[in-house]
Amino acid sequence: MTSKQVKALAGAVRTAAGAVRPVPGARITGGLLHHWQVRNGAATIPHTIEQLRAAGNVANLSRLLEQDPAPYRGRYPFLDTDLYKTLEGLAYELGDGRAAEPVREFYDEVVGLLERVQAEDGYLNSFFQDPAAARKPWEDLAWGHELYNLGHLIQAAVAAARRMGDERLLRVAGRFADLVVERFAERGVCGHPEVEMALVELYRETGVRAYLDLAAAFVDRRGSGQIEHSIFSADYFQDHVPFRELPSVTGHAVRMAYLAAGAADVFLETGDRSLFAALERLWDDMVASKLYLTGGLGSRHSDEAVGDRYELPSERAYSETCAAIAVMQWGWRMFLATGGAKYLDVFERVLYNAYAVGLSEDGRAFFYDNPLQRRPDHEQRSGAEPGGEPLRRSWFGCPCCPPNIVRWMAQLADYVAAERDGALLIACYTPARITGERLDLAMETSYPWDGDVHLTVGRAPEEPYGIVLRVPGWARGATVTVNGEPHDAAPSAKRAEAAADSPGGSADGGWLRIERRWAPGDEVRLTLPMPVRAHGSHPHLDATRGALGIARGPLVYCVEQQDSPSAAVDDLVVGVADVAGARTGRRGEAVVLGVTAGAAPPPSTELYPELSLERAAITETAVSATFVPYFLWGNRGPEAMRVWVRSRTTDGKKAT
Amino acid sequence: MTSKQVKALAGAVRTAAGAVRPVPGARITGGLLHHWQVRNGAATIPHTIEQLRAAGNVANLSRLLEQDPAPYRGRYPFLDTDLYKTLEGLAYELGDGRAAEPVREFYDEVVGLLERVQAEDGYLNSFFQDPAAARKPWEDLAWGHELYNLGHLIQAAVAAARRMGDERLLRVAGRFADLVVERFAERGVCGHPEVEMALVELYRETGVRAYLDLAAAFVDRRGSGQIEHSIFSADYFQDHVPFRELPSVTGHAVRMAYLAAGAADVFLETGDRSLFAALERLWDDMVASKLYLTGGLGSRHSDEAVGDRYELPSERAYSETCAAIAVMQWGWRMFLATGGAKYLDVFERVLYNAYAVGLSEDGRAFFYDNPLQRRPDHEQRSGAEPGGEPLRRSWFGCPCCPPNIVRWMAQLADYVAAERDGALLIACYTPARITGERLDLAMETSYPWDGDVHLTVGRAPEEPYGIVLRVPGWARGATVTVNGEPHDAAPSAKRAEAAADSPGGSADGGWLRIERRWAPGDEVRLTLPMPVRAHGSHPHLDATRGALGIARGPLVYCVEQQDSPSAAVDDLVVGVADVAGARTGRRGEAVVLGVTAGAAPPPSTELYPELSLERAAITETAVSATFVPYFLWGNRGPEAMRVWVRSRTTDGKKAT
């Protein structure tokens, strides 16, 4: 396969400094992720196209071709990006042959509009090109989102070129990018990071070094306090401290994670080790103190901000869907840089929880923020946005999340496997066909509903080759057989380093490597035990003290009031033994958990009772409740929900 | 004393439907509240005047007298109110003879400006009167704050008329109020409640029934969804549900509490029992589920909103200083309505905690929001406001809180005592001279530092008369002597109802009544035991589960890192016995608490450790920490602070 062939198939390509590289030729063939992709094509994409038309995103472009254009519709200067993200998703759909004809018509219509609307000099942004509004390009770098717009345009363009071989958008994006290279040669940076990732990708696609250099400059220009805004302070924009000196992920969560993902892309091409050191430090700090159990990032509605270390309130988790996608993008690039499995553990946690929850079961409604708790008296808010509405909505005035979900669903296959010289790595377990550089595999599994994975070798090289299986952090006692024989993998070998050339030397274990001479038809069976787990939390995390969270495999579970008929979910008291004894059952495809818990209604209504030395024992009654995967909550109407339930340790003994 | 004389001295006057009435003739003569009043005059008022001049609040008026006025300074349409609140405070200062000459000059200058700037028709608002800005009065009732402006103008005007006998402002306010009565005869309501309280006060002062009727109408016009705003939803404005049907205090916290206080004023004059029933339900629900241990109201930075029941995060407590004042205003009016001591318990909790913390020890810096926790890595924010800055600031772009503190400090004496026929009630313990209608008292005490109160009777009526002493909810085993002899107050008598004519019949006990024939020189000594208390929290309150709060008397305590030399405050583990064994000490006048606690640093850095059935016991080391009154925190630089500390119940056993 030539380099050009690889590029024509890949969501991301061979990088200069990465320890591993993506496998462009994977295809998801069944299971949960396949269901998500089918739903994306059948429901979410048609819905999104309909909403984009209704909200005026398409008209914002087409009106610019008219003599006396109607005003720009919408409040935000970044509404073109919702088209771009949709186009990016459509490029995968069309390239993979999943899309129907109306989708291609929409794609062609919008691409055609963009070609015609683009200014002579390459500028393209329907908010600032508004002839009636007298706005000037680049007059408001802090809030104008023009480079953020360009970033999403580039990502759509690269996807179309690679997946469809359609280079029309790439020409549009390239002209705009060239204008930006000139305009921002010396100074200036966008209030909303995103273009950094895109410029590196455009460099990979075109080989034009100026794009990479500009991306690197954008990372390093932050921290000078040059981004001025009347409401938001410099930390909101990650402009209060140079990126390499940031003490922790901070400010607006989506901006932060896009910026870090872009910086990781810069590292992947430049090998700039001080940049990587900052990335590793920020990532580890985030995972150790700022991520929700669901993988969500962002604790504050106010400023949509990350929050302090250990500030992780359940009911007010902001955990924006876009931040979930950004964390996955960042984590994937950290994995490419190092081969470290720990990054994929987070990637997977986000994928199945903080990201997946953002979409309704029917694929036509969205969360903007993704709380881990809904209180029984939570008030419906009317009209407030973003994030005011507790249950999923069909669209938003700031609709950044829905098309982000669309593009990510469409490209999931890009994250199934990776390669390095002499080995194929399985990053994500799903029914799939994987066409590697030298080895092909067919994967069958019911993951994430169980942990049995069955791999069948197709094409294989003559010489010994490695198949490297990810062992998630939660999996204890993973076993593997090759052609029915137990594979001799000593525990120490299981934690072996996948990539010895990891630049930071930090990529931890989590891999199970099988190296041998493979023949077509060879079978590998991996068993990842999936007991139901109880998770506590760090003692500094006040919001979940005295509570436990339930998980199984990569899935976080929650209890909705509909599934706790005998007790309010706020009154459930669950012990570790209750969790260990949970019974798995099915609701459709999904595995649900039957838990026998205690119910301890409050003995009085006093808010802050005075404590005496002799505490009255709380008497519980035994009740049953069913816990469902968190990503499935909120599909049956607005009732109370909890991920974190009161733990028995705190609240007395269970009545026997 | 004639009615006019009473009015000339009173902050509030005899009401039509109240169970008790204020005592206008109290004067605070020493102790903590006196220190606060002295500091108000010596530091906060001069500082406030300086800031108001520097920020342009005065210039916003004076420029309107010029030919070609400079633009309005500031972003908000309510900056005149900061002058009005300051004038209200100055009226007390000047009326009580506490203010220096520059204060009177400022007062006269601003009053003179207001007289000259007021429009022909009575309209007065320097934001909308801006001739350059082409804004029209009443064009934006949702956000214009024009009636909110009028409300504060009236309150200043009534204070000046009553305390100083200066009726200049009253004429200005009356002309504006008359315009408003006409303009709002049929429809319309202000986005920010406040004018309701003021209109009732203006009715009391003038006897003009139209003011009362309009206030009542404003309460009842909410809930029609007529307040439209592009960002905030109807619940923010308490406009989603009619006031009488509100399920709970909700929306913007300050708006909510001002509205409720205004509705209580309407009840006090109309005796509208269905209105009172709503007020009582809302109050009880708030106290049972939505107030911080400090008495603060408002859990959310986003929308500065109240939040759901039991949503009370410590580190993100918004608990705006203005909301604290509004809750006191509401609580005082509920007390006037019923004679219920429970309202004063909350009043006092707010006064000494959520309100007092808003001002620095030196009286020149302010909190806008008042969190109950500061994390060690809490980031300083630059420029964000309101509420972004973690430690007190000298002023704000939205400076509603500082002058609100000023006016409230100045009028504290209004809340020391109350009367009903045949009895004088002591609401608040402080050194004071109280001139009642028929009985005068001198009060000496070190309260809140200890619970000994010494009353000496001055003027007394011939016939038997009641002295009714408040027994705070936290006080167990209160005793009283009269002229050295134990007073025969059976426990049941102590809980006796102070006001049998309480309209809701709900005012609970908390009063200790002594009725006898008094002679000048008679002495009453009340002893309120003040052990150090540990408070837990309702099981539905996630944010403080497994933690305890420490209080003594009306004061909530906290620990700052400066006073925990051997352990991070986040690692302190305190048991109920540790609290019971706390040693009281002094820091200046303040009583501080020495607590021997455990320190339990986190055993690992994992954020969500998997729990096993066998939990490792946590080993603590014994450490000492000093807890200080919460209102004093943050005067020694930005370090970590906690009100709620981890409790031993959750976190293992103390090492012996």
Side-chain angles (χ1 to χ4, degrees), chain B residues 353 448-451 474 528-535 550-557 584-586 590-593:
Chain B
N353 301 286
W449 306 123
D450 72 35
W474 48 261
L528 301 168
M530 273 197 188
V532 184
R533 308 188 305 277
H535 287 271
I550 298 179
R552 180 174 176 274
L555 298 172
V556 173
Y557 279 72
T584 56
R586 288 276 177 177
V591 171
V592 298
L593 306 175

PDB file of all heavy atoms in Angstrom, chain B residues 353 448-451 474 528-535 550-557 584-586 590-593:
ATOM      1  N   ASN B 353     -22.755  35.370  59.992  1.00  0.00           N
ATOM      2  CA  ASN B 353     -21.997  34.469  59.134  1.00  0.00           C
ATOM      3  C   ASN B 353     -22.064  34.910  57.668  1.00  0.00           C
ATOM      4  O   ASN B 353     -21.168  35.585  57.197  1.00  0.00           O
ATOM      5  CB  ASN B 353     -22.499  33.027  59.334  1.00  0.00           C
ATOM      6  CG  ASN B 353     -22.349  32.580  60.786  1.00  0.00           C
ATOM      7  OD1 ASN B 353     -21.253  32.309  61.232  1.00  0.00           O
ATOM      8  ND2 ASN B 353     -23.452  32.528  61.538  1.00  0.00           N
ATOM      9  N   PRO B 448     -21.698  37.939  70.670  1.00  0.00           N
ATOM     10  CA  PRO B 448     -21.838  36.478  70.558  1.00  0.00           C
ATOM     11  C   PRO B 448     -20.668  35.691  71.137  1.00  0.00           C
ATOM     12  O   PRO B 448     -20.603  34.483  70.917  1.00  0.00           O
ATOM     13  CB  PRO B 448     -21.909  36.288  69.048  1.00  0.00           C
ATOM     14  CG  PRO B 448     -20.998  37.340  68.512  1.00  0.00           C
ATOM     15  CD  PRO B 448     -21.180  38.520  69.425  1.00  0.00           C
ATOM     16  N   TRP B 449     -19.756  36.362  71.838  1.00  0.00           N
ATOM     17  CA  TRP B 449     -18.576  35.624  72.341  1.00  0.00           C
ATOM     18  C   TRP B 449     -18.909  34.796  73.577  1.00  0.00           C
ATOM     19  O   TRP B 449     -18.266  33.802  73.864  1.00  0.00           O
ATOM     20  CB  TRP B 449     -17.419  36.576  72.609  1.00  0.00           C
ATOM     21  CG  TRP B 449     -17.093  37.429  71.413  1.00  0.00           C
ATOM     22  CD1 TRP B 449     -17.073  38.783  71.354  1.00  0.00           C
ATOM     23  CD2 TRP B 449     -16.748  36.975  70.091  1.00  0.00           C
ATOM     24  NE1 TRP B 449     -16.747  39.207  70.088  1.00  0.00           N
ATOM     25  CE2 TRP B 449     -16.543  38.115  69.291  1.00  0.00           C
ATOM     26  CE3 TRP B 449     -16.600  35.714  69.499  1.00  0.00           C
ATOM     27  CZ2 TRP B 449     -16.196  38.040  67.940  1.00  0.00           C
ATOM     28  CZ3 TRP B 449     -16.248  35.631  68.154  1.00  0.00           C
ATOM     29  CH2 TRP B 449     -16.053  36.790  67.392  1.00  0.00           C
ATOM     30  N   ASP B 450     -19.888  35.256  74.373  1.00  0.00           N
ATOM     31  CA  ASP B 450     -20.454  34.367  75.370  1.00  0.00           C
ATOM     32  C   ASP B 450     -21.950  34.615  75.454  1.00  0.00           C
ATOM     33  O   ASP B 450     -22.468  35.518  74.783  1.00  0.00           O
ATOM     34  CB  ASP B 450     -19.752  34.462  76.736  1.00  0.00           C
ATOM     35  CG  ASP B 450     -20.064  35.753  77.484  1.00  0.00           C
ATOM     36  OD1 ASP B 450     -21.198  36.267  77.392  1.00  0.00           O
ATOM     37  OD2 ASP B 450     -19.164  36.256  78.173  1.00  0.00           O
ATOM     38  N   GLY B 451     -22.640  33.831  76.282  1.00  0.00           N
ATOM     39  CA  GLY B 451     -24.099  33.876  76.283  1.00  0.00           C
ATOM     40  C   GLY B 451     -24.688  34.508  77.530  1.00  0.00           C
ATOM     41  O   GLY B 451     -25.856  34.271  77.851  1.00  0.00           O
ATOM     42  N   TRP B 474     -30.192  26.966  69.169  1.00  0.00           N
ATOM     43  CA  TRP B 474     -29.015  26.191  69.581  1.00  0.00           C
ATOM     44  C   TRP B 474     -28.827  26.178  71.092  1.00  0.00           C
ATOM     45  O   TRP B 474     -28.001  25.422  71.607  1.00  0.00           O
ATOM     46  CB  TRP B 474     -27.743  26.730  68.919  1.00  0.00           C
ATOM     47  CG  TRP B 474     -27.596  28.227  69.017  1.00  0.00           C
ATOM     48  CD1 TRP B 474     -27.904  29.142  68.055  1.00  0.00           C
ATOM     49  CD2 TRP B 474     -27.119  28.987  70.143  1.00  0.00           C
ATOM     50  NE1 TRP B 474     -27.659  30.418  68.495  1.00  0.00           N
ATOM     51  CE2 TRP B 474     -27.174  30.351  69.775  1.00  0.00           C
ATOM     52  CE3 TRP B 474     -26.654  28.661  71.419  1.00  0.00           C
ATOM     53  CZ2 TRP B 474     -26.784  31.370  70.634  1.00  0.00           C
ATOM     54  CZ3 TRP B 474     -26.258  29.676  72.281  1.00  0.00           C
ATOM     55  CH2 TRP B 474     -26.342  31.018  71.887  1.00  0.00           C
ATOM     56  N   LEU B 528     -27.171  31.893  78.388  1.00  0.00           N
ATOM     57  CA  LEU B 528     -27.340  30.946  77.269  1.00  0.00           C
ATOM     58  C   LEU B 528     -26.056  30.128  77.171  1.00  0.00           C
ATOM     59  O   LEU B 528     -25.020  30.645  76.766  1.00  0.00           O
ATOM     60  CB  LEU B 528     -27.552  31.711  75.959  1.00  0.00           C
ATOM     61  CG  LEU B 528     -28.751  32.655  75.891  1.00  0.00           C
ATOM     62  CD1 LEU B 528     -28.668  33.550  74.653  1.00  0.00           C
ATOM     63  CD2 LEU B 528     -30.053  31.857  75.888  1.00  0.00           C
ATOM     64  N   PRO B 529     -26.094  28.852  77.572  1.00  0.00           N
ATOM     65  CA  PRO B 529     -24.866  28.051  77.491  1.00  0.00           C
ATOM     66  C   PRO B 529     -24.392  27.961  76.043  1.00  0.00           C
ATOM     67  O   PRO B 529     -25.198  27.854  75.124  1.00  0.00           O
ATOM     68  CB  PRO B 529     -25.296  26.672  78.013  1.00  0.00           C
ATOM     69  CG  PRO B 529     -26.550  26.926  78.787  1.00  0.00           C
ATOM     70  CD  PRO B 529     -27.221  28.075  78.118  1.00  0.00           C
ATOM     71  N   MET B 530     -23.090  28.063  75.866  1.00  0.00           N
ATOM     72  CA  MET B 530     -22.517  28.056  74.511  1.00  0.00           C
ATOM     73  C   MET B 530     -21.459  26.978  74.342  1.00  0.00           C
ATOM     74  O   MET B 530     -20.282  27.279  74.141  1.00  0.00           O
ATOM     75  CB  MET B 530     -21.865  29.414  74.227  1.00  0.00           C
ATOM     76  CG  MET B 530     -22.796  30.450  73.669  1.00  0.00           C
ATOM     77  SD  MET B 530     -21.820  31.777  72.923  1.00  0.00           S
ATOM     78  CE  MET B 530     -23.112  32.976  72.577  1.00  0.00           C
ATOM     79  N   PRO B 531     -21.864  25.729  74.423  1.00  0.00           N
ATOM     80  CA  PRO B 531     -20.880  24.690  74.117  1.00  0.00           C
ATOM     81  C   PRO B 531     -20.528  24.722  72.626  1.00  0.00           C
ATOM     82  O   PRO B 531     -21.264  25.302  71.828  1.00  0.00           O
ATOM     83  CB  PRO B 531     -21.616  23.399  74.472  1.00  0.00           C
ATOM     84  CG  PRO B 531     -23.048  23.719  74.249  1.00  0.00           C
ATOM     85  CD  PRO B 531     -23.214  25.173  74.627  1.00  0.00           C
ATOM     86  N   VAL B 532     -19.405  24.129  72.305  1.00  0.00           N
ATOM     87  CA  VAL B 532     -19.047  23.998  70.898  1.00  0.00           C
ATOM     88  C   VAL B 532     -19.853  22.847  70.314  1.00  0.00           C
ATOM     89  O   VAL B 532     -19.931  21.773  70.906  1.00  0.00           O
ATOM     90  CB  VAL B 532     -17.537  23.733  70.746  1.00  0.00           C
ATOM     91  CG1 VAL B 532     -17.160  23.689  69.263  1.00  0.00           C
ATOM     92  CG2 VAL B 532     -16.745  24.814  71.466  1.00  0.00           C
ATOM     93  N   ARG B 533     -20.484  23.095  69.185  1.00  0.00           N
ATOM     94  CA  ARG B 533     -21.372  22.087  68.597  1.00  0.00           C
ATOM     95  C   ARG B 533     -20.799  21.529  67.290  1.00  0.00           C
ATOM     96  O   ARG B 533     -20.116  22.239  66.543  1.00  0.00           O
ATOM     97  CB  ARG B 533     -22.749  22.703  68.269  1.00  0.00           C
ATOM     98  CG  ARG B 533     -23.415  23.424  69.397  1.00  0.00           C
ATOM     99  CD  ARG B 533     -24.841  23.839  69.047  1.00  0.00           C
ATOM    100  NE  ARG B 533     -24.969  24.625  67.840  1.00  0.00           N
ATOM    101  CZ  ARG B 533     -24.776  25.939  67.757  1.00  0.00           C
ATOM    102  NH1 ARG B 533     -24.438  26.630  68.839  1.00  0.00           N
ATOM    103  NH2 ARG B 533     -24.924  26.568  66.605  1.00  0.00           N
ATOM    104  N   ALA B 534     -21.140  20.278  67.048  1.00  0.00           N
ATOM    105  CA  ALA B 534     -20.857  19.675  65.737  1.00  0.00           C
ATOM    106  C   ALA B 534     -22.182  19.513  65.000  1.00  0.00           C
ATOM    107  O   ALA B 534     -23.161  19.040  65.583  1.00  0.00           O
ATOM    108  CB  ALA B 534     -20.184  18.324  65.910  1.00  0.00           C
ATOM    109  N   HIS B 535     -22.215  19.930  63.756  1.00  0.00           N
ATOM    110  CA  HIS B 535     -23.416  19.772  62.947  1.00  0.00           C
ATOM    111  C   HIS B 535     -23.157  18.815  61.783  1.00  0.00           C
ATOM    112  O   HIS B 535     -22.128  18.905  61.114  1.00  0.00           O
ATOM    113  CB  HIS B 535     -23.879  21.127  62.385  1.00  0.00           C
ATOM    114  CG  HIS B 535     -24.485  22.012  63.429  1.00  0.00           C
ATOM    115  ND1 HIS B 535     -25.822  21.982  63.734  1.00  0.00           N
ATOM    116  CD2 HIS B 535     -23.930  22.925  64.259  1.00  0.00           C
ATOM    117  CE1 HIS B 535     -26.075  22.863  64.709  1.00  0.00           C
ATOM    118  NE2 HIS B 535     -24.936  23.444  65.046  1.00  0.00           N
ATOM    119  N   ILE B 550     -18.623  23.027  62.478  1.00  0.00           N
ATOM    120  CA  ILE B 550     -18.463  23.398  63.886  1.00  0.00           C
ATOM    121  C   ILE B 550     -19.083  24.764  64.127  1.00  0.00           C
ATOM    122  O   ILE B 550     -18.897  25.690  63.331  1.00  0.00           O
ATOM    123  CB  ILE B 550     -16.964  23.386  64.278  1.00  0.00           C
ATOM    124  CG1 ILE B 550     -16.407  21.964  64.098  1.00  0.00           C
ATOM    125  CG2 ILE B 550     -16.762  23.885  65.701  1.00  0.00           C
ATOM    126  CD1 ILE B 550     -14.938  21.819  64.429  1.00  0.00           C
ATOM    127  N   ALA B 551     -19.827  24.863  65.221  1.00  0.00           N
ATOM    128  CA  ALA B 551     -20.475  26.139  65.542  1.00  0.00           C
ATOM    129  C   ALA B 551     -20.446  26.338  67.052  1.00  0.00           C
ATOM    130  O   ALA B 551     -20.312  25.389  67.828  1.00  0.00           O
ATOM    131  CB  ALA B 551     -21.915  26.149  65.031  1.00  0.00           C
ATOM    132  N   ARG B 552     -20.546  27.574  67.437  1.00  0.00           N
ATOM    133  CA  ARG B 552     -20.665  27.926  68.855  1.00  0.00           C
ATOM    134  C   ARG B 552     -21.549  29.160  68.924  1.00  0.00           C
ATOM    135  O   ARG B 552     -21.254  30.171  68.283  1.00  0.00           O
ATOM    136  CB  ARG B 552     -19.286  28.198  69.465  1.00  0.00           C
ATOM    137  CG  ARG B 552     -19.330  28.578  70.937  1.00  0.00           C
ATOM    138  CD  ARG B 552     -17.934  28.696  71.523  1.00  0.00           C
ATOM    139  NE  ARG B 552     -17.984  29.147  72.907  1.00  0.00           N
ATOM    140  CZ  ARG B 552     -18.033  30.435  73.287  1.00  0.00           C
ATOM    141  NH1 ARG B 552     -18.030  31.396  72.364  1.00  0.00           N
ATOM    142  NH2 ARG B 552     -18.102  30.760  74.566  1.00  0.00           N
ATOM    143  N   GLY B 553     -22.618  29.049  69.696  1.00  0.00           N
ATOM    144  CA  GLY B 553     -23.575  30.144  69.702  1.00  0.00           C
ATOM    145  C   GLY B 553     -24.064  30.373  68.278  1.00  0.00           C
ATOM    146  O   GLY B 553     -24.307  29.420  67.536  1.00  0.00           O
ATOM    147  N   PRO B 554     -24.182  31.624  67.876  1.00  0.00           N
ATOM    148  CA  PRO B 554     -24.675  31.889  66.520  1.00  0.00           C
ATOM    149  C   PRO B 554     -23.570  31.812  65.460  1.00  0.00           C
ATOM    150  O   PRO B 554     -23.854  32.007  64.287  1.00  0.00           O
ATOM    151  CB  PRO B 554     -25.214  33.321  66.628  1.00  0.00           C
ATOM    152  CG  PRO B 554     -24.375  33.953  67.678  1.00  0.00           C
ATOM    153  CD  PRO B 554     -24.040  32.870  68.671  1.00  0.00           C
ATOM    154  N   LEU B 555     -22.360  31.545  65.884  1.00  0.00           N
ATOM    155  CA  LEU B 555     -21.230  31.622  64.961  1.00  0.00           C
ATOM    156  C   LEU B 555     -20.877  30.261  64.375  1.00  0.00           C
ATOM    157  O   LEU B 555     -20.700  29.284  65.109  1.00  0.00           O
ATOM    158  CB  LEU B 555     -19.995  32.181  65.674  1.00  0.00           C
ATOM    159  CG  LEU B 555     -20.114  33.593  66.230  1.00  0.00           C
ATOM    160  CD1 LEU B 555     -18.887  33.933  67.064  1.00  0.00           C
ATOM    161  CD2 LEU B 555     -20.277  34.597  65.095  1.00  0.00           C
ATOM    162  N   VAL B 556     -20.726  30.226  63.067  1.00  0.00           N
ATOM    163  CA  VAL B 556     -20.163  29.074  62.378  1.00  0.00           C
ATOM    164  C   VAL B 556     -18.646  29.280  62.332  1.00  0.00           C
ATOM    165  O   VAL B 556     -18.177  30.393  62.140  1.00  0.00           O
ATOM    166  CB  VAL B 556     -20.748  28.961  60.961  1.00  0.00           C
ATOM    167  CG1 VAL B 556     -20.061  27.879  60.151  1.00  0.00           C
ATOM    168  CG2 VAL B 556     -22.255  28.713  61.041  1.00  0.00           C
ATOM    169  N   TYR B 557     -17.918  28.198  62.527  1.00  0.00           N
ATOM    170  CA  TYR B 557     -16.461  28.279  62.519  1.00  0.00           C
ATOM    171  C   TYR B 557     -15.887  27.626  61.270  1.00  0.00           C
ATOM    172  O   TYR B 557     -16.552  26.851  60.584  1.00  0.00           O
ATOM    173  CB  TYR B 557     -15.890  27.628  63.788  1.00  0.00           C
ATOM    174  CG  TYR B 557     -15.953  28.572  64.979  1.00  0.00           C
ATOM    175  CD1 TYR B 557     -17.181  28.876  65.580  1.00  0.00           C
ATOM    176  CD2 TYR B 557     -14.812  29.212  65.456  1.00  0.00           C
ATOM    177  CE1 TYR B 557     -17.260  29.773  66.633  1.00  0.00           C
ATOM    178  CE2 TYR B 557     -14.871  30.108  66.524  1.00  0.00           C
ATOM    179  CZ  TYR B 557     -16.096  30.391  67.094  1.00  0.00           C
ATOM    180  OH  TYR B 557     -16.170  31.293  68.134  1.00  0.00           O
ATOM    181  N   THR B 584     -11.723  26.683  74.058  1.00  0.00           N
ATOM    182  CA  THR B 584     -11.926  28.054  73.601  1.00  0.00           C
ATOM    183  C   THR B 584     -10.723  28.907  73.973  1.00  0.00           C
ATOM    184  O   THR B 584     -10.099  28.710  75.012  1.00  0.00           O
ATOM    185  CB  THR B 584     -13.190  28.679  74.226  1.00  0.00           C
ATOM    186  OG1 THR B 584     -13.073  28.584  75.645  1.00  0.00           O
ATOM    187  CG2 THR B 584     -14.440  27.951  73.775  1.00  0.00           C
ATOM    188  N   GLY B 585     -10.394  29.812  73.096  1.00  0.00           N
ATOM    189  CA  GLY B 585      -9.299  30.754  73.343  1.00  0.00           C
ATOM    190  C   GLY B 585      -9.665  32.085  72.729  1.00  0.00           C
ATOM    191  O   GLY B 585     -10.777  32.276  72.234  1.00  0.00           O
ATOM    192  N   ARG B 586      -8.747  33.008  72.783  1.00  0.00           N
ATOM    193  CA  ARG B 586      -9.028  34.347  72.263  1.00  0.00           C
ATOM    194  C   ARG B 586      -8.037  34.736  71.189  1.00  0.00           C
ATOM    195  O   ARG B 586      -6.850  34.413  71.264  1.00  0.00           O
ATOM    196  CB  ARG B 586      -8.915  35.384  73.399  1.00  0.00           C
ATOM    197  CG  ARG B 586     -10.038  35.322  74.406  1.00  0.00           C
ATOM    198  CD  ARG B 586     -11.246  36.107  73.908  1.00  0.00           C
ATOM    199  NE  ARG B 586     -12.350  35.985  74.867  1.00  0.00           N
ATOM    200  CZ  ARG B 586     -13.513  36.607  74.724  1.00  0.00           C
ATOM    201  NH1 ARG B 586     -13.729  37.398  73.685  1.00  0.00           N
ATOM    202  NH2 ARG B 586     -14.472  36.440  75.596  1.00  0.00           N
ATOM    203  N   ALA B 590     -12.142  38.013  69.482  1.00  0.00           N
ATOM    204  CA  ALA B 590     -12.821  36.828  68.969  1.00  0.00           C
ATOM    205  C   ALA B 590     -12.491  35.579  69.771  1.00  0.00           C
ATOM    206  O   ALA B 590     -11.356  35.377  70.191  1.00  0.00           O
ATOM    207  CB  ALA B 590     -12.458  36.615  67.507  1.00  0.00           C
ATOM    208  N   VAL B 591     -13.492  34.737  69.947  1.00  0.00           N
ATOM    209  CA  VAL B 591     -13.277  33.422  70.535  1.00  0.00           C
ATOM    210  C   VAL B 591     -12.894  32.459  69.407  1.00  0.00           C
ATOM    211  O   VAL B 591     -13.610  32.351  68.409  1.00  0.00           O
ATOM    212  CB  VAL B 591     -14.548  32.925  71.256  1.00  0.00           C
ATOM    213  CG1 VAL B 591     -14.397  31.461  71.674  1.00  0.00           C
ATOM    214  CG2 VAL B 591     -14.831  33.807  72.474  1.00  0.00           C
ATOM    215  N   VAL B 592     -11.757  31.821  69.581  1.00  0.00           N
ATOM    216  CA  VAL B 592     -11.325  30.804  68.614  1.00  0.00           C
ATOM    217  C   VAL B 592     -11.326  29.451  69.317  1.00  0.00           C
ATOM    218  O   VAL B 592     -11.367  29.373  70.547  1.00  0.00           O
ATOM    219  CB  VAL B 592      -9.933  31.138  68.031  1.00  0.00           C
ATOM    220  CG1 VAL B 592      -9.980  32.460  67.281  1.00  0.00           C
ATOM    221  CG2 VAL B 592      -8.874  31.169  69.126  1.00  0.00           C
ATOM    222  N   LEU B 593     -11.292  28.387  68.538  1.00  0.00           N
ATOM    223  CA  LEU B 593     -11.454  27.040  69.074  1.00  0.00           C
ATOM    224  C   LEU B 593     -10.235  26.183  68.740  1.00  0.00           C
ATOM    225  O   LEU B 593      -9.885  26.032  67.556  1.00  0.00           O
ATOM    226  CB  LEU B 593     -12.707  26.387  68.486  1.00  0.00           C
ATOM    227  CG  LEU B 593     -14.014  27.171  68.638  1.00  0.00           C
ATOM    228  CD1 LEU B 593     -15.145  26.452  67.906  1.00  0.00           C
ATOM    229  CD2 LEU B 593     -14.354  27.361  70.113  1.00  0.00           C
TER     230      LEU B 593
END
